PDB file of all heavy atoms in Angstrom:
ATOM      1  N   VAL A 423     -19.811 138.632 -98.892  1.00 94.00           N
ATOM      2  CA  VAL A 423     -18.422 138.830 -98.806  1.00 94.00           C
ATOM      3  C   VAL A 423     -17.414 137.645 -99.075  1.00 94.00           C
ATOM      4  O   VAL A 423     -16.487 137.690 -99.739  1.00 94.00           O
ATOM      5  CB  VAL A 423     -18.149 139.660 -97.502  1.00 94.00           C
ATOM      6  CG1 VAL A 423     -16.587 139.814 -97.462  1.00 94.00           C
ATOM      7  CG2 VAL A 423     -18.770 141.001 -97.542  1.00 94.00           C
ATOM      8  N   ALA A 424     -17.948 136.549 -98.352  1.00 94.00           N
ATOM      9  CA  ALA A 424     -17.159 135.384 -98.439  1.00 94.00           C
ATOM     10  C   ALA A 424     -17.150 134.729 -99.856  1.00 94.00           C
ATOM     11  O   ALA A 424     -16.106 134.402-100.199  1.00 94.00           O
ATOM     12  CB  ALA A 424     -17.828 134.272 -97.428  1.00 94.00           C
ATOM     13  N   ALA A 425     -18.285 134.842-100.450  1.00 94.00           N
ATOM     14  CA  ALA A 425     -18.209 134.325-101.884  1.00 94.00           C
ATOM     15  C   ALA A 425     -17.394 135.160-102.749  1.00 94.00           C
ATOM     16  O   ALA A 425     -16.523 134.757-103.684  1.00 94.00           O
ATOM     17  CB  ALA A 425     -19.557 134.335-102.487  1.00 94.00           C
ATOM     18  N   THR A 426     -17.429 136.453-102.569  1.00 94.00           N
ATOM     19  CA  THR A 426     -16.552 137.441-103.378  1.00 94.00           C
ATOM     20  C   THR A 426     -15.084 137.177-103.104  1.00 94.00           C
ATOM     21  O   THR A 426     -14.323 136.942-104.103  1.00 94.00           O
ATOM     22  CB  THR A 426     -16.848 138.917-102.981  1.00 94.00           C
ATOM     23  OG1 THR A 426     -18.245 139.125-103.210  1.00 94.00           O
ATOM     24  CG2 THR A 426     -16.057 139.876-103.840  1.00 94.00           C
ATOM     25  N   VAL A 427     -14.541 137.109-101.853  1.00 93.00           N
ATOM     26  CA  VAL A 427     -13.173 137.040-101.661  1.00 93.00           C
ATOM     27  C   VAL A 427     -12.740 135.536-101.965  1.00 93.00           C
ATOM     28  O   VAL A 427     -11.516 135.295-102.370  1.00 93.00           O
ATOM     29  CB  VAL A 427     -12.732 137.567-100.228  1.00 93.00           C
ATOM     30  CG1 VAL A 427     -12.995 138.897-100.015  1.00 93.00           C
ATOM     31  CG2 VAL A 427     -13.452 136.650 -99.179  1.00 93.00           C
ATOM     32  N   GLY A 428     -13.641 134.574-101.761  1.00 92.00           N
ATOM     33  CA  GLY A 428     -13.286 133.233-102.023  1.00 92.00           C
ATOM     34  C   GLY A 428     -12.958 132.888-103.430  1.00 92.00           C
ATOM     35  O   GLY A 428     -12.248 132.081-103.783  1.00 92.00           O
ATOM     36  N   VAL A 429     -13.613 133.682-104.280  1.00 93.00           N
ATOM     37  CA  VAL A 429     -13.447 133.597-105.765  1.00 93.00           C
ATOM     38  C   VAL A 429     -12.227 134.598-106.335  1.00 93.00           C
ATOM     39  O   VAL A 429     -11.326 134.104-106.965  1.00 93.00           O
ATOM     40  CB  VAL A 429     -14.656 133.745-106.519  1.00 93.00           C
ATOM     41  CG1 VAL A 429     -14.413 133.772-108.165  1.00 93.00           C
ATOM     42  CG2 VAL A 429     -15.625 132.637-106.192  1.00 93.00           C
ATOM     43  N   LEU A 430     -12.388 135.723-105.872  1.00 92.00           N
ATOM     44  CA  LEU A 430     -11.489 136.748-106.488  1.00 92.00           C
ATOM     45  C   LEU A 430     -10.220 136.668-105.939  1.00 92.00           C
ATOM     46  O   LEU A 430      -9.201 137.075-106.654  1.00 92.00           O
ATOM     47  CB  LEU A 430     -12.002 138.182-106.127  1.00 92.00           C
ATOM     48  CG  LEU A 430     -13.297 138.597-106.868  1.00 92.00           C
ATOM     49  CD1 LEU A 430     -13.617 140.044-106.487  1.00 92.00           C
ATOM     50  CD2 LEU A 430     -13.200 138.390-108.236  1.00 92.00           C
ATOM     51  N   THR A 431      -9.842 136.196-104.653  1.00 89.00           N
ATOM     52  CA  THR A 431      -8.549 136.145-104.196  1.00 89.00           C
ATOM     53  C   THR A 431      -7.572 135.002-105.115  1.00 89.00           C
ATOM     54  O   THR A 431      -6.650 135.571-105.556  1.00 89.00           O
ATOM     55  CB  THR A 431      -8.405 135.663-102.691  1.00 89.00           C
ATOM     56  OG1 THR A 431      -9.072 136.661-101.954  1.00 89.00           O
ATOM     57  CG2 THR A 431      -7.105 135.565-102.135  1.00 89.00           C
ATOM     58  N   PRO A 432      -8.043 133.836-105.214  1.00 88.00           N
ATOM     59  CA  PRO A 432      -7.245 132.996-106.116  1.00 88.00           C
ATOM     60  C   PRO A 432      -7.115 133.438-107.484  1.00 88.00           C
ATOM     61  O   PRO A 432      -6.191 133.187-108.185  1.00 88.00           O
ATOM     62  CB  PRO A 432      -7.887 131.615-105.943  1.00 88.00           C
ATOM     63  CG  PRO A 432      -9.187 131.918-105.488  1.00 88.00           C
ATOM     64  CD  PRO A 432      -9.224 133.128-104.596  1.00 88.00           C
ATOM     65  N   LEU A 433      -8.236 133.963-108.029  1.00 90.00           N
ATOM     66  CA  LEU A 433      -8.115 134.437-109.508  1.00 90.00           C
ATOM     67  C   LEU A 433      -7.160 135.574-109.543  1.00 90.00           C
ATOM     68  O   LEU A 433      -6.359 135.602-110.536  1.00 90.00           O
ATOM     69  CB  LEU A 433      -9.593 135.010-109.839  1.00 90.00           C
ATOM     70  CG  LEU A 433     -10.611 133.928-110.360  1.00 90.00           C
ATOM     71  CD1 LEU A 433     -11.905 134.528-110.556  1.00 90.00           C
ATOM     72  CD2 LEU A 433     -10.120 133.190-111.531  1.00 90.00           C
ATOM     73  N   THR A 434      -7.136 136.521-108.693  1.00 88.00           N
ATOM     74  CA  THR A 434      -6.134 137.581-108.599  1.00 88.00           C
ATOM     75  C   THR A 434      -4.691 137.120-108.507  1.00 88.00           C
ATOM     76  O   THR A 434      -3.942 137.479-109.280  1.00 88.00           O
ATOM     77  CB  THR A 434      -6.495 138.724-107.612  1.00 88.00           C
ATOM     78  OG1 THR A 434      -7.780 139.162-107.736  1.00 88.00           O
ATOM     79  CG2 THR A 434      -5.602 139.719-107.597  1.00 88.00           C
TER      80      THR A 434
END
Side-chain angles (χ1 to χ4, degrees):
V423 170
T426 301
V427 296
V429 174
L430 293 186
T431 298
L433 277 175
T434 302

